[in-house]
Amino acid sequence: YSFKGNSTAVSSGKSIASRDLEIDTQATSISVTNNGENSIFITTATTGKLPVGEEKAVKSKLSAIVSYTDGNGKAIDMNNIIQGTEITAKVIITNTTGLYVNDIALSQILPSGWEIVNTRFTDYGDNTSNKAEYTDIRDDRVNYYFSLQANKSITFETVINASYLGNYYLPGIHRFALYTWQVIIT
């Protein structure tokens, strides 16, 4: 094959040969010449991550609304937060399908300058508005695991403290069904 002006011969005693090619943002082409008598099949796949801040919002069957408020429920200007501010991140997940969805995961990743207030050990109590089947609190994220009936919503609230000075990136949330399912109609 020829890639970026460099030709490389591929020879293998196996039925499959795989090569990783480093590409960049410029237009790229690959040419393949079969010098043998057997048929060859070419499959190309590209993977990667968009630069920070250029991620694309994707919604499929589980919609999400995220809001950030202070202790009084007043909306916070996310571009102007004072160090030490306590923030409540409220996430509403809605199952827009007509089916019960079992084993959903919600991963709420936070900026590195924020700290999660683990309300299970504070005066807030267990934050009873969260109806997760399981909650996993890490240094930089909270993972909620739950199931959701058709066309119903569930709300999660996470108390956060803007602990450190600086400019930080606020990543989006991730929600997805942990397992795929197959519906068989007989």
Side-chain angles (χ1 to χ4, degrees), residues 92-169:
I92 301 171
I93 303 293
T94 303
N95 176 0
T96 61
T97 72
L99 302 171
Y100 177 83
V101 180
N102 206 12
D103 301 319
I104 300 171
L106 165 65
S107 185
Q108 186 175 19
I109 303 170
L110 303 173
S112 57
W114 292 4
E115 289 184 345
I116 299 162
V117 178
N118 189 343
T119 57
R120 292 182 282 198
F121 305 111
T122 68
D123 291 338
Y124 289 100
D126 192 17
N127 203 352
T128 57
S129 65
N130 293 336
K131 304 293 184 203
E133 294 164 17
Y134 181 73
T135 302
D136 179 22
I137 300 174
R138 302 293 175 118
D139 288 342
D140 66 341
R141 71 191 67 210
V142 179
N143 297 312
Y144 295 106
Y145 301 94
F146 57 98
S147 298
L148 195 54
Q149 293 180 8
N151 302 309
K152 296 291 182 180
S153 297
I154 190 168
T155 302
F156 298 103
E157 291 183 354
T158 306
V159 180
I160 303 158
N161 186 284
S163 302
Y164 301 97
L165 292 174
N167 294 323
Y168 298 99
Y169 174 69

Side-chain angles (χ1 to χ4, degrees), residues 50-55 169:
L50 291 170
V52 171
E54 294 182 26
E55 298 90 349
Y169 174 69

Side-chain angles (χ1 to χ4, degrees), residues 1-4 6 8 18-24 28-32 44-47:
Y1 68 90
S2 176
F3 177 68
K4 290 189 174 182
N6 299 320
T8 303
S18 175
R19 300 292 182 268
D20 290 333
L21 306 174
E22 295 293 325
I23 61 171
D24 51 33
T28 303
S29 65
I30 300 170
S31 63
V32 177
T44 60
T46 57
T47 61

